[in-house]
Every structure is written in structure tokens, then in C-alpha cells.
Amino acid sequence: MDEDNSSSTESHKGGSSALQLGPRKKALKSDPLISHGRHFGRTVFALCNYPSLLTSGVLRLEQLEDMSIEDFSAEERREHAVFETLLNSYPGLLERLKEGSEEELIHVGELIGKGAACARGEDTKSLKPVIIDWIAPAGEAVVPPLPRNSKISRGFNHPLTGRLLCPAELDWDDADTKQGLQSGELGVSGDQWPLFVYANEVFDPEDPWNGLLRSRLLVNAFRHIFTSPSSVDKEPKATRAGNARIHGMTTVTSASVAYVATQIRFALCSSSVFSRTDTVTDSETFYHSLLDLLEDPDERREVTELLLWWNRQIFPTSSAAKRPLKANSALSKIRQKRAALKDADGGSA
């Protein structure tokens, strides 16, 4: 369930970033933009006010005729990058926005936003029961029980979900820490990443990249959402299925990993309503903080390795899952020699 509390008009007038959740809209008839919004939200930017994004984006295009993108703030540059990605992913969209009225622009934004919100709601609903199966000890009963269709006893209220949600830098086994988290006296912000984002739930403070975003729980949820629920317990196959196949998805994106992590975090918590104003779950801050890292140019090497790992888990036969050639391999030597010949012959070899 989603709860969006501010209108797109108010958000735009107030100067808020478009990269925040917008209003909840009534159901609209099927439109290709709705389908596109479903995939765009999952793989490019999930928590976005699309009418505001489009309105600001078109205006910024006009401003860029006399300005440089560097003249805008970092948040505005990021917002514009999302806007341009949206334009490039849907042929004819820019022309439709430029030629249409303001009402048409807002309508287009609402259609895309409807798709993104529906996908998010469906994923939230489908993960709610199955995540209990994934975290339960193999062959053992969960004590105390964790209902599949109720979240009241989740979060820091239960030892299983509490450990997984505990900020990686804290020690769940410490009695004072556990009590503080359970009572709420020890607040947790969205940029304090939970232990479940690390492989085997192990955090190394000396090497915080080690195992980051490589947990079994993340892979299970990614397969559940993007390939098919039945693929969770099976080896990935060469043929794509589910949402990935529908939208021609052959590579894992940074935003899709952040999206899945956000969905898991919400599934484990005790809150029943997904809301950007919920300071307890603080889902929007969590999602943004992951994207901040994954889109940081200074972290490019680590992110490249991370996405290679992910593609090998989800799309093992795609080119994105192939490791670079070894520097001293025969094939590498052949290609190096061919490149040198091309350079010597002016590119004609």
C-alpha cells in the first residue's frame, strides 16, 4: 500500500525536488505510458513525482539554451539526468511534451507515475508473505511465529527481522542496543544501512564495500520481482521471463538494486503503509542514499564489479555478465595486436 501526501502542483510550486513521491492518483485506463512507468520506476528511479519531473525538465531544456547544466544545483542536475533518461527510453516523448499543452504534460506524468506506483504496490504486496519463507531457518520453526500476512510483529519487535534491520554498524546482540532499537529510543535514519544488505549479514567496518548489496535475500527478491517468483529457488536460465522479459531487460541497473533493497527493508519492518513522510521507515532517504553511492563517479570501479556480480546472478548469459579479458590471454593478445595494426594503418586494418 502506498500513501502519497502532497499534490504535484503543490510540490512544483513549493520548489520541492521532482525526485520525491508525488500524489496518489485514481486508476487510469491502460496506456503504453503506464507500462513504461512500471519498468522505469523499478529500474531507473522509483520514488518520483513525474508531473513535476516533466514540467521542470521541459523548462530546464529551455533554460539550457542559454545556460550550462553545471549552472544548476547537484539535485537539479540529478533530476535532469533522470528526465533525459526518461526521454531517451520512450521514442517521441520529447515531441509530445513540447507540442502538448500544460494539461497534456501533467497527464503524461500522471500516466507514468501511475505505472510506477502500481508496480511498487504490487511488489510490496507480493513480497510481504514470501519474505518470511526466505528468512526462516531451514527446517526450523520461527519462534516466536511471524505471520505471513501481518507486519505487526516484524521490525525490531522480532529477533529475526530485528537482526536483519539492525544498522550494520551496531551490534544486535548487545542488550542495550537491542532495547534501544525496540523502544525507539535509538532512532535509525534511512542512511544507516541494515545488516541484510551485506552478504551473509557480515559487515566489515575496515572494508565497508566487502559484501555490500550481495546478500542472498537481495538476490531472492530481485528474481521474485524481475524474473519470476518461481525462479527464486532455481538456477537462472538463459531465457528471460516475467517483468524482465516483458520489458526487454538484459542487465541489472544500480537503481533496480536500490529498489529491491528498499522493498526488502519495508517488507521486514512493522509499518503497514509505504509513505515518504514516514520518519520511522524513512524509505525515501534509504533509497536515495543507496543511489548516491552507486552513482558516485569516485566509486565507479566498485560499482562496476558489483553490477558484474549481479548480472552473473540474474542474467548469466548476457554480455554484461562476462568478465573482461585477462590481460595476458591469447585472445587479449590477438585483439591488442589488431588494435595496434589499425592505429598504424590509420584505422584501415
Side-chain angles (χ1 to χ4, degrees):
M1 183 183 293
D2 300 321
E3 179 184 277
D4 305 330
N5 301 306
S6 59
S7 72
S8 59
T9 304
E10 290 173 346
S11 175
H12 180 60
K13 288 181 178 180
S16 298
S17 169
L19 303 185
Q20 296 178 339
L21 286 179
R24 188 174 187 180
K25 297 295 180 180
K26 294 181 180 179
L28 301 170
K29 292 182 179 180
S30 179
D31 184 286
L33 283 169
I34 295 179
S35 176
H36 192 72
R38 293 174 64 87
H39 190 60
F40 192 86
R42 285 171 169 147
T43 60
V44 180
F45 209 94
L47 310 181
C48 186
N49 183 334
Y50 288 97
S52 180
L53 176 73
L54 297 185
T55 302
S56 300
V58 171
L59 175 60
R60 199 175 295 112
L61 284 178
E62 298 175 359
Q63 296 173 324
L64 285 170
E65 295 178 2
D66 303 311
M67 300 172 62
S68 166
I69 190 64
E70 298 303 322
D71 294 329
F72 293 90
S73 68
E75 180 63 24
E76 288 173 320
R77 292 197 299 272
R78 182 182 199 176
E79 181 180 315
H80 197 69
V82 173
F83 172 70
E84 289 189 321
T85 302
L86 178 57
L87 295 182
N88 293 333
S89 65
Y90 197 90
L93 181 58
L94 178 58
E95 291 72 18
R96 181 173 176 178
L97 297 178
K98 284 186 172 181
E99 296 171 2
S101 63
E102 182 177 355
E103 289 74 18
E104 169 69 4
L105 188 151
I106 293 175
H107 177 62
V108 168
E110 290 175 347
L111 289 173
I112 299 172
K114 173 64 178 178
C118 285
R120 188 173 65 246
E122 289 170 9
D123 295 338
T124 298
K125 182 178 180 180
S126 66
L127 285 174
K128 180 180 176 180
V130 298
I131 200 164
I132 301 303
D133 302 331
W134 298 338
I135 67 174
E140 299 179 23
V142 177
V143 181
L146 270 174
R148 289 165 54 86
N149 294 309
S150 173
K151 301 187 68 182
I152 295 176
S153 57
R154 300 186 189 183
F156 296 124
N157 301 319
H158 194 280
L160 267 183
T161 53
R163 179 180 295 278
L164 292 170
L165 287 171
C166 181
E169 68 274 15
L170 300 181
D171 181 7
W172 174 255
D173 293 324
D174 179 78
D176 290 338
T177 297
K178 184 182 297 186
Q179 182 179 357
L181 290 171
Q182 292 177 334
S183 67
E185 294 179 7
L186 190 58
V188 178
S189 63
D191 56 5
Q192 289 180 278
W193 297 338
L195 198 58
F196 78 77
V197 302
Y198 281 94
N200 302 313
E201 291 82 50
V202 175
F203 169 64
D204 180 0
E206 300 301 320
D207 184 11
W209 259 109
N210 184 21
L212 178 62
L213 296 173
R214 301 190 188 204
S215 70
R216 177 185 58 84
L217 195 55
L218 282 168
V219 174
N220 283 354
F222 199 104
R223 288 176 178 166
H224 181 89
I225 292 172
F226 286 99
T227 55
S228 70
S230 62
S231 69
V232 171
D233 298 320
K234 301 176 183 178
E235 288 298 315
K237 299 180 180 179
T239 56
R240 289 168 287 122
N243 292 314
R245 182 176 184 179
I246 291 172
H247 296 281
M249 182 183 185
T250 58
T251 60
V252 175
T253 65
S254 295
S256 62
V257 176
Y259 173 79
V260 169
T262 303
Q263 285 283 5
I264 292 177
R265 186 172 176 270
F266 182 73
L268 291 171
C269 78
S270 58
S271 295
S272 59
V273 178
F274 191 109
S275 170
R276 59 175 291 258
T277 59
D278 186 349
T279 57
V280 177
T281 58
D282 205 15
S283 295
E284 194 165 18
T285 299
F286 176 70
Y287 178 74
H288 278 263
S289 69
L290 286 176
L291 279 187
D292 286 342
L293 176 75
L294 298 175
E295 295 176 353
D296 187 342
D298 293 336
E299 307 294 337
R300 185 174 291 113
R301 182 178 65 83
E302 288 80 2
V303 173
T304 298
E305 282 294 316
L306 174 67
L307 293 180
L308 173 62
W309 182 88
W310 267 100
N311 281 306
R312 295 179 74 186
Q313 311 304 310
I314 309 300
F315 304 112
T317 62
S318 73
S319 59
K322 303 296 188 294
R323 285 193 176 277
L325 291 175
K326 295 294 184 181
N328 296 320
S329 68
L331 178 56
S332 176
K333 292 293 186 183
I334 290 173
R335 290 185 174 173
Q336 289 174 19
K337 185 174 181 180
R338 177 59 59 190
L341 288 173
K342 282 185 176 183
D343 291 338
D345 297 340
S348 61

